[in-house]
Amino acid sequence: MLAPCPGRGGVYGRGVSTSIAVLGSTGSIGTQTLDIARADPDRYDVVAIGAATSVDALAEQAAEFRPALVALADDARAAELRDRLPAGTELVAGDDALAAASTEADCVINGVVGFAGLPVTLASLAAGKRLGLANKESLIAAGPIVQPLRDVAGAELVPVDSEHCALHQCLRANDEPERVDRLVLTASGGPFRGRSAADLAEVTIEDALAHPTWSMGPKITVDSSTLMNKGLEVIEAQELFGIGVDRIDVVVQPQSVVHSMVAYSDGSTIAQLSMPDMRLCIGYALAYPDRLTLPYGPVDWSAALQLDFEPPDRATFACLDLAYDAGREGETAPAWLSAANEVVVDAFLTGRIRWIEIAEILKEALAAYDGTKASDIEAVLQADRTSRAVTRKLVDGKAAA
Ligand code: MG
């Protein structure tokens, strides 16, 4: 079902402070969320922060924002952090800490990296919170588990991913879901746009991490270089907006100014434009249905601006169609693909496999998909574990070759 952006009264209105929990607070999304809170402290009150292991950065953030709660997933370093927290700030540590911290605020920003972000997504929606979701993996892998929680009273999922933030905005142009023809996701094309497969045989980790337009963490930057990020976003859009992957297109927009588009039944295409700046997207999720009063990434329309569009090279960047396959398959196939992808990206970043082997291994990993139904959370977790085990073996085979 398409959920066309329900309004929300009261709490998020002008002049009223919103309490926010920032999970994954020391990463790229987390620190940019804190930028917004720092810029508008009357409007945003940081009541909880949390990270996996970054004790030094958490201590610094706690000193600045004085949240009620700090969460640290790494139990072993809890004592070290506790001594460095300001008076009045409580520490929760351990596997469940980030999820526990996500029930403490009006609005949760989930900036945790990878499948590890799933507990935050589940806990914040179950607690009836607004969830600003930057952790796409949790929705992609566990869509069938996450979806029912969107019906919990007060729960609201607002995407932070720039393309989905754009789609969310473009869908507000019309309140009749049946008039949506297609969703059009834009892609920068990543650092290897225009290169041939032969050309890409020997690219390095540094090459893959040199994104032309966006500054992001290493995992998503590698995903951008393979177009797997775009593929995962196609599945994410299917889950968020209830439109099947075969009505979702991908177009390369190298300037990363048009962030996505909705094509309507009357021939109109509505687009959202801004310079690449994730703070706009994070702020949209915080302020919706209102908007931030401070601009992030406004386009300077007094200067010349060129916008190009081109179809993606699906043969060279085979990960894109692997994601379409998994999205069409549904059930635990997206969990399987996303888990396999985390394993191969890690293997690439640690120098065990070459860039061109990422898609090769993922193709084999997806071929081994066992067809398990996403009947409950345990089935999703099992799919994640099995896929990782299968993919690790494939990686070991390549690395040894
Ligand atoms: Mg994105």
Side-chain angles (χ1 to χ4, degrees), residues 189-210 219-228 313 315-320 341 344-345 347-349 351-362 398:
F192 303 143
R193 181 177 66 89
R195 309 263 295 258
S196 68
D199 230 12
L200 291 168
E202 301 303 334
V203 294
T204 64
I205 298 169
E206 290 69 34
D207 295 335
L209 289 178
K219 195 264 180 183
I220 187 171
T221 305
V222 173
D223 285 348
S224 291
S225 78
T226 61
L227 289 198
M228 177 55 87
D313 175 354
T316 304
F317 300 92
C319 287
L320 181 58
N341 184 54
V344 290
V345 170
F348 171 68
L349 284 171
R352 300 193 64 217
I353 59 168
R354 293 182 298 154
W355 185 89
I356 49 161
E357 292 172 325
I358 294 175
E360 292 170 18
I361 296 173
L362 286 174
K398 286 276 188 201

Side-chain angles (χ1 to χ4, degrees), residues 19-43:
S19 65
I20 60 177
V22 187
L23 287 323
S25 65
T26 60
S28 173
I29 292 291
T31 53
Q32 293 183 82
T33 307
L34 295 176
D35 281 347
I36 296 169
R38 186 181 293 116
D40 198 349
D42 293 337
R43 189 164 177 183

Side-chain angles (χ1 to χ4, degrees), residues 134 136 160-165 185-186 214 216 220 224 229-230 233 236 259-260 278:
K136 69 187 77 177
V160 167
D161 208 350
S162 61
E163 295 78 4
H164 307 76
C165 172
L185 284 163
T186 55
W214 289 100
M216 304 175 291
I220 187 171
S224 291
N229 181 54
K230 206 52 49 183
E233 288 179 350
E236 181 184 10
H259 296 297
S260 277
M278 285 308 296

Side-chain angles (χ1 to χ4, degrees), residues 141-167:
I145 314 302
V146 174
Q147 292 294 8
L149 295 174
R150 295 173 77 180
D151 295 331
V152 170
E156 189 175 24
L157 206 177
V158 183
V160 167
D161 208 350
S162 61
E163 295 78 4
H164 307 76
C165 172
L167 292 171

Side-chain angles (χ1 to χ4, degrees), residues 6 107-109 125 129-134 150 156-161 164-165 168 240 281-282 284-289:
C107 183
V108 178
I109 298 295
L125 291 175
K129 305 299 183 184
R130 166 174 299 191
L131 171 63
L133 186 67
R150 295 173 77 180
E156 189 175 24
L157 206 177
V158 183
V160 167
D161 208 350
H164 307 76
C165 172
H168 198 272
L240 277 168
C281 312
I282 298 163
Y284 178 83
L286 291 172
Y288 172 79

